[in-house]
Amino acid sequence: MSTRKYTLVINPGATSTKAAIYDGETEVFTENLSHPIEEIQKFHEVADQFDYRKGAILDMLKRHNIGTDEIAVVMGRGGLTRPCESGVYRVNDLMKKECHDGIQGKHACNLGALISDSIANEIGLPCAYIADPGIVDERPDYAKITGHPVFDLDPSHEGVIWHCLNQKMTAKLYARELGKHYEDLNLIIAHMGGGVSVGIHEHGRCVEVNRALCGLGAFSPTRCGSINASKLIEVACSGKYTEAQLKKLVTAEGGFVAYLGTNDAYEVEKKAIAGDKKCQLLVDAFCYQVSLEISRLAAVVNGKVDAILLTGGIAYSKPWMQMITDRVSWIAPVKVYKGENEMLALAICGKEILDGVEPKEYK
């Protein structure tokens, strides 16, 4: 007779779904389930990919001989719902509706709660859970003023979109290494992947961070980052682009894609090392912009920064991390955490649920 002990972790991305089985904090296995772009393009909306991705996860469990009666909790990546507090949330009907509708954007992460809850119910669990979704907003009110009320976000349903799950987990891992708690420290954390978010965490709260999905901050492999407002107005009024095309230009066709035709940072690095001057210029610009973001955030805590943590897929590049470190190490010690810790973060939250920690209710 099987005993429920495993945590199933589900993390949908643009063209793949990371899925894993954990026993407590111990990884049993992880798979990156690839979804070819020609398959993804068959679906009109992100929400339409639900059955396709869910089926891939269930097939994975069969391949690894994991019985559904062995899964004790299902953890999914949170979606782009309304701003909320940090923490672990029970997936409820309101969350599922807002993820399905994509109220802050149509992104694959919206499928995390939907697929997780469906699988949980199917295998006899009452619900699934998400943790630290990318719409957590812990900024004080004065940090939300843009300079003109027309451009201020409505705090009831709009906020920053950033890599909360990985940033918070990286902060907790660093604190654990020191024998301290996340709440004891002031940390600047730069997540550098398909998007770039840089946040200042003051005693357990991220009190400032750039809106990474829709511009602002450093450019990334696919996003253009902060851009000249006058130029944006000029382009928007040129008649050459629809609203949808402009949004795509900013979020999916900017950065390295716009300048170099690739979103592969490793490819850009190799060409730069081989002497490609345009690639080297873009590398220099990227590291410069990330450094600027880090530097400006030191002011939020009056310069009292305990450490700067560099993380995400681009953190695998030693030359790039060294360039950033050289510019910002005067602020605080710099430590690099290669890749991202989202799967582990969700697994730890799943263990907390099994240990009796009460989840929050999304309202």
Side-chain angles (χ1 to χ4, degrees):
M1 182 177 178
S2 297
T3 302
R4 293 189 184 272
K5 64 174 183 176
Y6 292 133
T7 299
L8 171 60
V9 178
I10 298 170
N11 185 349
T15 57
S16 67
T17 301
K18 287 183 181 178
I21 289 290
Y22 277 79
D23 186 353
E25 294 186 22
T26 303
E27 178 187 327
V28 178
F29 67 85
T30 296
E31 274 202 34
N32 192 36
L33 304 170
S34 179
H35 309 311
I37 192 67
E38 57 269 21
E39 290 291 327
I40 293 296
Q41 288 175 341
K42 293 178 182 178
F43 301 99
H44 181 64
E45 295 284 355
V46 169
D48 298 336
Q49 301 170 23
F50 175 87
D51 290 326
Y52 170 71
R53 293 193 188 230
K54 177 184 172 183
I57 295 166
L58 294 175
D59 288 344
M60 178 200 73
L61 295 177
K62 290 178 183 177
R63 284 197 306 275
H64 288 273
N65 297 314
I66 298 294
T68 55
D69 58 347
E70 296 179 277
I71 298 172
V73 63
V74 184
M75 294 293 310
R77 180 183 179 185
L80 305 182
T81 53
R82 287 170 292 114
C84 65
E85 296 179 347
S86 175
V88 180
Y89 287 83
R90 191 190 330 268
V91 176
N92 59 20
D93 289 339
L94 176 60
M95 183 188 296
K96 288 189 287 186
K97 182 181 186 308
E98 293 184 355
C99 284
H100 180 276
D101 294 344
I103 61 170
Q104 283 214 72
K106 304 293 180 72
H107 189 279
C109 66
N110 291 333
L111 293 166
L114 299 174
I115 295 174
S116 299
D117 195 63
S118 177
I119 291 177
N121 293 334
E122 198 171 287
I123 66 177
L125 300 175
C127 66
Y129 305 88
I130 60 127
D132 285 339
I135 44 70
V136 165
D137 196 343
E138 300 173 319
R139 299 172 300 157
D141 288 342
Y142 59 76
K144 302 175 185 179
I145 300 299
T146 64
H148 196 295
V150 167
F151 303 112
D152 287 346
L153 299 177
D154 182 344
S156 67
H157 70 276
E158 295 177 304
V160 289
I161 300 174
W162 57 296
H163 304 91
C164 177
L165 187 61
N166 184 42
Q167 285 206 26
K168 293 248 178 191
M169 188 69 249
T170 302
K172 291 171 185 175
L173 289 174
Y174 178 75
R176 183 187 291 186
E177 291 170 11
L178 297 181
K180 296 185 177 182
H181 297 288
Y182 168 46
E183 293 77 12
D184 297 331
L185 302 168
N186 289 344
L187 302 169
I188 296 176
I189 306 175
H191 174 107
M192 295 162 286
V196 173
S197 64
V198 186
I200 174 71
H201 298 244
E202 182 179 23
H203 300 304
R205 295 176 64 82
C206 183
V207 293
E208 183 59 85
V209 65
N210 60 295
R211 188 176 170 89
L213 181 61
C214 304
L216 301 182
F219 72 82
S220 77
T222 62
R223 300 168 194 170
C224 66
S226 299
I227 47 181
N228 183 295
S230 295
K231 187 64 178 180
L232 177 61
I233 293 168
E234 179 186 324
V235 172
C237 295
S238 68
K240 295 179 180 179
Y241 303 95
T242 64
E243 180 180 346
Q245 287 172 328
L246 272 177
K247 286 183 176 180
K248 190 174 182 181
L249 203 69
V250 169
T251 61
E253 297 177 347
F256 292 145
V257 169
Y259 287 102
L260 303 171
T262 180
N263 64 356
D264 188 338
Y266 180 58
E267 180 183 337
V268 176
E269 179 183 8
K270 286 194 299 182
K271 288 183 177 179
I273 292 172
D276 187 310
K277 291 184 178 180
K278 185 174 183 181
C279 285
Q280 187 60 59
L281 176 64
L282 269 294
V283 169
D284 292 345
F286 174 82
C287 295
Y288 173 73
Q289 290 192 13
V290 172
S291 300
L292 282 179
E293 285 295 299
I294 291 170
S295 300
R296 78 180 185 90
L297 290 178
V300 176
V301 291
N302 301 319
K304 297 176 182 177
V305 181
D306 293 299
I308 297 166
L309 311 181
L310 308 179
T311 182
I314 293 177
Y316 281 101
S317 172
K318 289 183 179 180
W320 297 19
M321 296 308 98
Q322 189 60 54
M323 289 174 69
I324 294 171
T325 299
D326 289 344
R327 286 189 180 275
V328 303
S329 58
W330 59 273
I331 300 170
V334 179
K335 183 161 186 181
V336 177
Y337 288 82
K338 300 173 184 177
E340 44 81 15
N341 298 293
E342 292 178 343
M343 304 300 279
L344 175 61
L346 290 171
I348 290 174
C349 291
K351 183 178 183 297
E352 290 176 354
I353 292 293
L354 295 177
D355 289 342
V357 173
E358 187 65 25
K360 296 180 178 180
E361 197 68 28
Y362 183 74
K363 299 176 182 180

